[in-house]
Structures are given as C-alpha cells and as structure tokens.
C-alpha cells in the first residue's frame, strides 16, 4: 500500500470532517448562539445579519400579516403579540410581531395587497411618540416621504389596521394613532375596520381593545377572504430542560439582562436595552408620618457614560417581591423546580425570546415577568382549557367571556395572575398550563420612569429621584395593592440605612441581584431624555405648579437657577406653587426652599397650599387663582408655565384656572383665553410632566 503524504492526510481529514458535519448538522461541536450576547450592538441599531427590509423579511419567513408596535411600557407590545396569536389561531394568518425601530419604512409601498400591516401605537407623555416609534412617526408624517416605487397614490397597495393606546387626561389624547392613520390615508393606504383607541385615563384600556378587535377581525376576514376556525393554543416558544446545567453554572442567566452583565463586565452605552448597575449614593425618608413613605434617592453615574439634563427621567429596573414570586411558582406546581435550568426556544423564525437563556424558572418570574400586574380577561380565557378541574374551567371561561363579571370579581381588586389562579382553582396546582403560555401572555417586566429631581449643572454625576411608596387600599381585598418599583426602592433605602434584612410591609426582594451583583446597594437604571426643560434664557420668568411628588423636577429647576446665581448669573422670577396635606407631615424639601430663598432673594418664591390644615381644603389651583394679576403679568412677559403631577384632577384644574386668569385679567372671552393657552402649549411656553 502506498504511503500517504501530508497533503493526502489533510484532504482526507477535511472530507471526513465535512461528512460528519453533514450528517450531524454540526451538533457535535456547534455552540448555540446567545442572541443577548450582541444586545449592545442591537441597542445601537447595528443588528448584524438582520434585514431592515420588511417585505424581504415577510417573504423569507412566509408571513402575510405583520403587527408593528410603538411601546413605552410594554402594553402596546403585549397587544401586538395577542393580535398575532389570535390572527394565527382563529384565522390561519401567518403573523409576525415587529418593533418599529427594527425596520425601514420606505418600501411600505411594495407590500402586496394580499398582505396586511397592523399598527399598535401608544402615545407617550404630551403627545410624543414612544422611543422606538420616533423615526417611523417622523418619516410617515414628513412633507413628502420617499418610497421605493413610483405608485400613485404612494401607498395605494397597502391594507392596514390601527389601534392606539392613550390617556384622556392628556391634551393630545391618542395623537399618535390619529396622526399616523391620517398620514396613511393621505398617502392612499386602505384602513380595514375602525382605528381603535384605548383609554388608560378612564381605566378602560383592556375593554376598549377587546371591543375593537372583534369587529376588526370580521372586517379583515371579509377583506382577505379568511375563514374563522376554532382557536386552539399553539405555543410560540418551546421549553427545553437543561439537565446538564445547574443554577451555579457560569453560562446560566440568573436575572442578568445580557451577556456582558453575565460575564461581570457590563459595558455602555447604557439605555433601555442595557441598564447601568448604579451605586445608590444616598437615600432618606422625606415624610414625617408613620403610615406613608416618600423617598429621596441619589444614584452615582460617575463610573458610566450616562449623562442627563435637568428635567429628564430616570428609569429604574425593578425586581418582583419574593412573596409574589413564591405564589406564582407554587400555584403552577413549580416550587420544587424553581432552580431548574431551562432554555426557551422560538418555534417560529420571527419570534424573539423576551429574555436571555439558559436560565431558571425563578429568574424568569423574578426579573422578567410583570406577575404583579392586573390580569387581562383575554388571558384568562386562554388558560381555561388547562384548568385543574371542570369547575375551575367553567369559572375561567365565564371570567374570560363576561366583562361585567370579570370587572366585579377581578378588576376592581387589582388581582394579578397568581392570585386569580389561587382563587379560581381553590388551591389546586395549575400544572397543566404550558409555561410558554405565561411567557407569551404576561408582559415583560418594565422599567419605571421617575422625574429627575436634581440639577445637572449642580451635580452632573449624581441623579436624584423623589417618589411616594405606592400603596392602594381596595374594597374587598385584604391587603393593599402595592407598587412593585417603589417598594423595591424602599427596601434598598432600608438596607442602606442599616437594616440587614429589609422587608417593607412584609415584602422581601432579592436586592443583592443575580449572583450578588447589586450588593453594596446598587440599582439598575438608565436615563430617558425629556422635553420638559427650563427656558434656554435664564432671565425668562418661570411659574411651576407641583403638588406632592410633582415637585420633583422643580427641585431640579430651582437648584439649577440657584447654582446660576451662585455662579454670578442673573435669573428671572422663579415661582413655585407647592401643595401637600400638612406642613408638619409631607412638606417636601422645606429647608431647601428656605436656603434657595437666601441665595436667590426676590427672584425665588414658594407659594404653599396645605389641604388639611384648615376647615376648607386648599389646593395649588386655589393659590394660583389668588395670584391672578401677577401670573398674568408674568405670562405677558413670556413666562414659562410648568405643571407636574396628577393628570386626571390637578393638572386639568390648573389648566382651567389658567384659562380663567387670562380671560378675567385681559378681558377676553373664555374661548379666546383657551386659544391663548393652546398656543402656549404649542410653543412650549406651557409644559406638563404628568401621570394618571
């Protein structure tokens, strides 16, 4: 036999390796790619290997229905996912959910008439698009958006569906969906069904969505020739148990948001995709009363690339309380398996797993699911077939189908999914429910946004927030409904101030984070930039109305102008209207206002309204009206007018009072005064940072 030379051996080895690779599909040595390893590139918009061509994506994945979402808190994304599942299960549509910032829009004109595009769009703040919808909104509302074809009209081929999420306590209610709908129709697109609108201000968002979608599906089925079939649960995600891994394995995610955090070397940019684990520099109680809490908390961003401007928002990434994590895992029969390692795989090409894996059941529930949120009626109907017995199945079916019954039994008590399953199942385990159904049906745990109460001029590397710890006593519910994020922050404050095992109101949190990475009192955060800003000219007068924690951004504004004065600058008149219950209980930052007055002299004034210190309740709007003459004179000098706090009552009352002041002081009809106020808003002379 002839001797093999080196080249022969190399060639034979290559052939052997190729053969093995072909028959094993590379499984012997292949390492599954971690999609969260490149989340930083994704955060920068550099999504390597992913097409931004929406038509190309639809064709290569065989889709005929795409649901775009513009979401800030996760609700619009959740509704988009629900529409995708329902479209597939009830009508056989090949659906996909898409983040608006992941695609370009110039080839919307090339999407064929046998496909449909859905838009689920939230309006954020004062009529602003959500962060991920800014580019789309500017494109579609541009003077002459440029598309790829020369169609006339440009979008005459496009069939679309639209639903908006808004809040009627804001002036620009559902402006996003209204303007997008108007722009699409102007470009010749064909809307199917009505453009739906959900109202968070009235507390009817969920029912508005449910009432809109059924006639929409009927209209869409008629337009596209679809036949309805019996809806059967089809999982979008597969759960794979990883028996060879444990919670101690270094590649297992225990709550870390991405690969750099898992490796222990998180890198910027820090943003909505990638939090900075910030040290808490200081935290203390602001109220002088036993049964309520208000926190001042400062985080240090000096070791990050984060920056902020006075008036911006700080996003806090909370974790769920241990009590609710335990409840949820227990009712599903997963308590013994909480530390078991699983991988979650997308079963169809356009679905994205909402958290990194491999991970544990405990980590998913604790760090990634909104398990404390009120449950949706539609989700209960989805779970009915998996009930532990016929009585539970019948009850879930009734709750899912009868909105009045659901409202009385579930909604008014703010019951979350774990509590509902406990009550309906009477303590039985819901072990028949596929875990994938919860990943698909429960919104991803979202960051909470707080108005920054510090000045970037005074302390550029420290950010402070001011927040009331949320507690709501509800009729028919034994324990109060408690806010997830504010009680988490209260636990952090207690730990920093000497309590080794903080448990505010009986709630405990994994405040040291996954693998103790938050130890030393840290909190995951990022900064969201806001348009709520002081005038660029420091000589302009400012009038600020901020009762309670609505004073937060105005503390930053006052400290900014105080610092300017200390630096030798002259500032315009700065008036703050502040209200609370009692001067001895909840007068926030009272000493700071005295100090500001000493530095700023007559350029600063605080006007207080203590609602429970006299027989007659006095609020900030009453104090504003008392100063009508001065307020009008300042407005005529182009003073900027700011409101922060409760949108439903206070902000609306202040708006009305301002109209009355202008009408009475200038001797003009109320309609004219309202027009003046509207123009102030349009020119940013009147700004709001409000919440419902």
């Amino acid at each position: 036999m002839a001797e093999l030379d080196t080249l022969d051996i190399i060639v034979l080895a290559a052939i052997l390796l190729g053969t093995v690779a072909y028959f094993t599909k590379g499984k012997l040595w292949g390492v599954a790619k971690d999609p969260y390893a490149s989340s930083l590139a994704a955060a920068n918009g550099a999504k390597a290997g992913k097409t931004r061509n929406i038509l190309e994506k639809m064709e290569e994945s065989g889709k005929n229905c795409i649901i775009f979402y513009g979401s800030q808190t996760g609700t619009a994304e959740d509704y988009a996912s629900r529409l995708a599942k329902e479209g597939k299960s009830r009508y056989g549509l090949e659906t996909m959910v898409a983040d608006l910032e992941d695609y370009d829009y110039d080839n919307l004109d090339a999407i064929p008439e046998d496909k449909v595009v859905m838009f689920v769009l939230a309006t954020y703040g004062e009529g602003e698009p959500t962060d991920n919808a800014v580019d789309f909104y500017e494109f579609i509302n541009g003077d002459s958006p440029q598309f790829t074809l020369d169609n006339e009209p440009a979008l005459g081929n496009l069939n679309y569906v639209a639903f908006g999420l808004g809040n009627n306590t804001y002036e620009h209610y559902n402006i996003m969906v209204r303007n997008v709908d108007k722009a699409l129709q102007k470009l010749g697109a064909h809307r199917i069904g009505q453009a739906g609108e959900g109202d968070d201000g009235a507390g009817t968002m969920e029912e508005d969505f449910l009432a809109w979608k059924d006639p929409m599906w009927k209209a869409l089925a008629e337009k596209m020739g679809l036949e309805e079939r019996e809806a059967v649960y089809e999982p979008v995600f597969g759960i794979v148990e990883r028996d060879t891994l444990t919670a101690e394995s270094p590649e297992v995610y225990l709550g870390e948001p991405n690969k750099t955090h898992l490796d222990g070397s998180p890198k910027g940019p820090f943003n909505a995709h990638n939090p900075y684990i910030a040290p808490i520099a200081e935290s203390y109680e602001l109220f002088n009363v036993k049964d309520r809490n208000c926190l001042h908390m400062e985080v240090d961003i000096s070791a990050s690339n984060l920056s902020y401007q006075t008036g911006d928002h700080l996003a806090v990434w909370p974790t769920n309380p241990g009590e609710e994590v335990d409840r949820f895992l227990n009712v599903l029969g997963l308590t013994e398996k909480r530390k078991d390692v699983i991988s979650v795989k997308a079963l169809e090409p356009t679905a994205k797993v909402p958290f990194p894996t491999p991970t544990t059941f405990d980590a998913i529930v604790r760090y990634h699911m909104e398990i404390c949120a009120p449950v949706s009626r539609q989700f209960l109907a989805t779970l009915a077939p998996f009930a532990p017995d016929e009585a539970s199945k019948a009850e879930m079916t009734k709750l899912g189908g009868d909105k009045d019954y659901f409202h009385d039994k579930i909604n008014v008590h703010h019951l979350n999914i774990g509590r509902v399953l406990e009550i309906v199942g009477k303590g039985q385990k819901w072990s028949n429910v596929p875990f994938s159904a919860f990943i698909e049906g429960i919104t991803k745990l979202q960051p909470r946004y707080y108005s920054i109460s510090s000045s970037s001029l005074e302390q550029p590397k420290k950010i402070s927030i001011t927040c009331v710890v949320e507690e709501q006593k509800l009729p028919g519910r034994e324990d109060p409904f408690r806010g997830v994020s504010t009680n988490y922050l209260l636990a952090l404050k207690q730990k920093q101030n000497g309590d080794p095992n903080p448990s505010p109101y009986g709630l405990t949190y994994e405040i040291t984070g996954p693998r103790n990475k938050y130890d030393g009192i840290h909190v995951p955060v990022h900064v969201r930039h806001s348009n709520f800003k002081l005038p660029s000219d420091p000589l302009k007068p400012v009038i600020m109305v901020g009762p309670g924690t609505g004073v937060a951004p105005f503390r930053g504004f006052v400290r900014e102008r105080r610092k300017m004065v200390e630096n030798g600058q002259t500032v315009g008149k700065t008036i703050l209207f502040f209200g609370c219950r009692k001067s001895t209980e909840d007068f926030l930052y009272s000493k700071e206002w005295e100090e500001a007055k000493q530095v700023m002299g007559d350029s600063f004034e605080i006007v207080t309204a203590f609602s429970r210190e006299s027989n007659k309740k006095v609020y900030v709007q009453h104090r504003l009206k008392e100063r009508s003459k001065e307020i009008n004179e300042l407005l005529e000098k182009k003073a900027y007018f700011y409101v922060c706090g409760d949108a439903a009552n206070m902000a609306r009352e202040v708006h009305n009072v301002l109209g009355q002041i202008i009408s009475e002081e200038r001797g003009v009809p109320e309609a004219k005064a309202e027009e003046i106020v509207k123009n102030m808003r349009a020119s940013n002379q009147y700004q709001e940072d409000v919440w419902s």
Side-chain angles (χ1 to χ4, degrees):
M1 182 176 174
E3 229 176 82
L4 293 172
D5 63 21
T6 305
L7 182 60
D8 292 330
I9 292 169
I10 291 170
V11 171
L12 285 170
I15 292 170
L16 177 62
L17 283 170
T19 305
V20 172
Y22 178 81
F23 285 107
T24 67
K25 309 293 188 211
K27 288 178 182 175
L28 292 182
W29 56 79
V31 178
K33 184 178 182 299
D34 179 357
Y36 283 79
S38 60
S39 68
L40 298 187
N44 285 319
K47 305 202 174 186
K50 290 186 178 181
T51 180
R52 291 188 59 84
N53 184 316
I54 187 57
L55 182 59
E56 187 179 292
K57 183 67 175 179
M58 292 179 78
E59 289 179 344
E60 75 181 20
S61 55
K63 304 300 181 185
N64 59 3
C65 173
I66 181 166
I67 303 103
F68 283 117
Y69 64 85
S71 187
Q72 195 70 33
T73 63
T75 308
E77 182 178 1
D78 176 51
Y79 285 3
S81 298
R82 285 159 63 177
L83 288 172
K85 285 182 66 66
E86 191 170 356
K88 184 174 178 62
S89 63
R90 278 181 67 186
Y91 295 98
L93 284 167
E94 293 301 327
T95 57
M96 66 175 281
V97 176
D99 187 329
L100 273 168
E101 69 181 354
D102 287 350
Y103 294 94
D104 298 323
Y105 327 110
D106 58 353
N107 66 342
L108 282 173
D109 60 339
I111 294 177
E113 291 181 353
D114 62 350
K115 301 184 191 299
V116 64
V117 177
M118 298 187 180
F119 296 96
V120 183
L121 304 170
T123 298
Y124 183 74
E126 285 302 302
E128 300 163 37
T130 57
D131 290 348
N132 72 319
V134 171
D135 290 345
F136 167 71
Y137 188 69
E138 290 176 353
F139 173 83
I140 208 70
N141 283 286
D143 291 337
S144 53
Q146 298 298 304
F147 295 100
T148 55
L149 305 177
D150 293 324
N151 295 344
E152 186 56 46
L155 296 182
N157 61 296
L158 185 69
N159 291 314
Y160 75 97
V161 164
F163 183 81
L165 295 83
N167 186 316
N168 72 17
T169 60
Y170 292 77
E171 183 188 6
H172 302 289
Y173 172 61
N174 260 315
I175 197 73
M176 268 292 290
V177 75
R178 291 178 182 183
N179 284 351
V180 167
D181 180 45
K182 193 184 300 180
L184 290 171
Q185 296 214 33
K186 184 179 176 183
L187 292 164
H190 306 284
R191 191 185 68 225
I192 298 169
Q194 295 297 311
E197 295 185 355
D199 186 0
D200 193 41
T204 57
M205 181 75 76
E206 177 73 13
E207 291 302 332
D208 293 338
F209 174 69
L210 296 179
W212 163 80
K213 72 178 181 61
D214 285 335
M216 180 278 293
W217 284 126
K218 185 177 179 182
L220 183 63
E222 189 175 316
K223 174 77 174 176
M224 297 185 68
L226 306 173
E227 289 188 16
E228 186 173 1
R229 60 192 190 186
E230 185 180 355
V232 177
Y233 172 71
E234 297 178 48
V236 175
F237 302 112
I239 310 298
V240 181
E241 295 189 6
R242 302 291 297 273
D243 297 334
T244 59
L245 298 174
T246 70
E248 284 71 44
S249 301
E251 65 267 47
V252 174
Y253 290 85
L254 298 182
E256 296 91 348
N258 58 45
K259 188 70 162 59
T260 64
H261 284 263
L262 179 68
D263 293 340
S265 55
K267 298 178 179 65
F270 298 106
N271 49 35
H273 304 274
N274 182 42
Y276 174 58
I277 311 304
I280 298 175
E282 185 180 17
S283 58
Y284 54 84
E285 177 64 53
L286 290 167
F287 282 174
N288 186 30
V289 61
K290 288 182 178 179
D291 59 344
R292 294 188 296 143
N293 297 92
C294 183
L295 307 179
H296 175 90
M297 184 169 281
E298 299 200 0
V299 299
D300 188 337
I301 58 170
S302 56
S304 74
N305 67 342
L306 284 173
S307 64
Y308 78 101
Q309 292 179 321
T310 308
D312 284 344
H313 298 138
L314 186 74
V316 172
W317 296 45
T319 68
N320 284 313
E323 175 190 37
E324 294 298 338
V325 174
D326 293 347
R327 183 196 311 278
F328 184 86
L329 292 171
N330 180 59
V331 79
L332 297 189
L334 291 173
T335 301
E336 301 302 316
K337 300 183 70 174
R338 67 191 307 155
K339 299 293 185 185
D340 288 6
V341 179
I342 59 170
S343 285
V344 180
K345 304 292 184 185
L347 299 180
E348 68 99 26
T350 62
K352 184 190 175 188
V353 180
F355 44 78
T357 71
T359 184
T360 64
F361 288 109
D362 186 283
I364 293 170
V365 176
R366 191 177 300 277
Y367 293 102
H368 299 297
M369 284 183 170
E370 285 279 12
I371 58 166
C372 295
V375 69
S376 83
R377 182 160 64 89
Q378 188 178 11
F379 187 46
L380 296 189
T382 302
L383 299 181
F386 305 104
D389 59 21
E390 287 302 316
S392 302
K393 181 179 180 179
E395 179 69 358
M396 289 289 271
T397 302
K398 185 175 182 182
L399 287 168
D402 185 331
K403 76 173 186 178
D404 294 329
Y405 187 68
F406 173 82
H407 176 79
D408 294 341
K409 292 284 186 180
I410 308 297
N411 216 26
V412 295
H413 306 305
H414 279 47
L415 296 183
N416 61 41
I417 185 60
R419 292 179 183 233
V420 171
L421 297 182
E422 276 184 344
I423 293 166
V424 174
K426 294 181 169 58
Q428 297 178 85
K429 308 297 184 201
W430 290 69
S431 50
N432 294 331
V433 186
F435 193 70
S436 56
F438 293 105
I439 298 173
E440 296 157 24
I442 297 177
T443 308
K444 185 178 178 182
L445 186 59
Q446 297 292 322
R448 271 56 169 176
Y449 293 90
Y450 299 93
S451 299
I452 289 175
S453 57
S454 52
S455 159
S456 57
L457 179 65
E458 180 185 37
Q459 49 178 65
K461 293 301 179 183
K462 280 186 185 175
I463 296 176
S464 74
I465 58 172
T466 308
C467 58
V468 165
V469 177
E470 189 183 351
E471 175 194 85
Q472 205 175 347
K473 292 183 174 69
L474 298 166
R477 176 170 166 149
E478 291 180 7
D479 60 329
F481 177 81
R482 299 192 185 279
V484 172
S485 184
T486 53
N487 282 277
Y488 167 59
L489 292 175
L490 178 57
L492 285 166
K493 175 255 176 188
Q494 290 177 346
K495 178 77 181 289
Q496 185 173 50
N497 287 272
D499 187 341
N501 299 297
S503 56
Y505 304 107
L507 300 176
T508 58
Y509 297 83
E510 289 284 351
I511 57 177
T512 60
R515 294 183 170 89
N516 293 323
K517 288 174 180 173
Y518 304 173
D519 203 8
I521 323 297
H522 289 71
V523 62
V525 300
H526 73 268
V527 172
R528 184 184 193 272
H529 295 293
S530 161
N531 295 322
F532 195 75
K533 294 285 181 284
L534 278 167
S536 55
D537 179 359
L539 292 174
K540 279 270 170 40
V542 297
I543 303 160
M544 302 166 288
V545 184
T549 53
V551 81
F554 303 138
R555 176 183 182 265
F557 283 12
V558 172
R559 295 194 74 90
E560 181 108 346
R561 288 204 155 183
R562 172 182 165 177
K563 186 66 177 174
M564 287 177 178
V565 171
E566 288 173 342
N567 291 344
Q569 286 183 267
T570 303
V571 300
K573 185 72 175 179
T574 306
I575 302 182
L576 170 63
F577 288 84
F578 172 78
C580 63
R581 293 182 184 180
K582 293 184 178 181
S583 57
T584 55
E585 289 185 1
D586 49 1
F587 186 3
L588 303 182
Y589 303 113
S590 56
K591 288 183 180 177
E592 287 194 21
W593 309 129
E594 292 174 13
E595 293 165 1
K597 181 69 176 173
Q598 290 172 5
V599 173
M600 298 172 69
D602 291 341
S603 62
F604 174 66
E605 181 181 3
I606 180 168
V607 181
T608 55
F610 302 118
S611 63
R612 299 192 183 179
E613 286 195 349
S614 63
N615 295 332
K616 185 181 178 183
K617 288 192 174 181
V618 180
Y619 298 111
V620 285
Q621 57 267 32
H622 301 134
R623 295 296 190 218
L624 195 65
K625 190 75 190 313
E626 290 169 3
R627 305 287 289 265
S628 291
K629 186 173 185 295
E630 184 182 2
I631 295 301
N632 180 58
E633 288 173 354
L634 289 171
L635 291 177
E636 288 182 323
K637 294 175 184 175
K638 301 301 180 186
Y640 276 57
F641 190 86
Y642 300 90
V643 182
C644 182
D646 165 44
N649 300 303
M650 182 277 297
R652 189 169 281 183
E653 288 289 326
V654 168
H655 173 102
N656 293 338
V657 166
L658 189 62
Q660 292 168 19
I661 289 172
I662 291 171
S663 174
E664 292 168 10
E665 293 297 320
R666 300 185 190 180
V668 299
E670 287 187 10
K672 177 63 178 174
E674 183 58 38
E675 185 184 331
I676 292 169
V677 173
K678 197 168 188 177
N679 290 335
M680 286 173 60
R681 286 180 180 274
S683 64
N684 276 336
Q685 190 188 348
Y686 185 153
Q687 298 180 34
E688 287 184 328
D689 181 3
V690 294
W691 54 84
S692 59

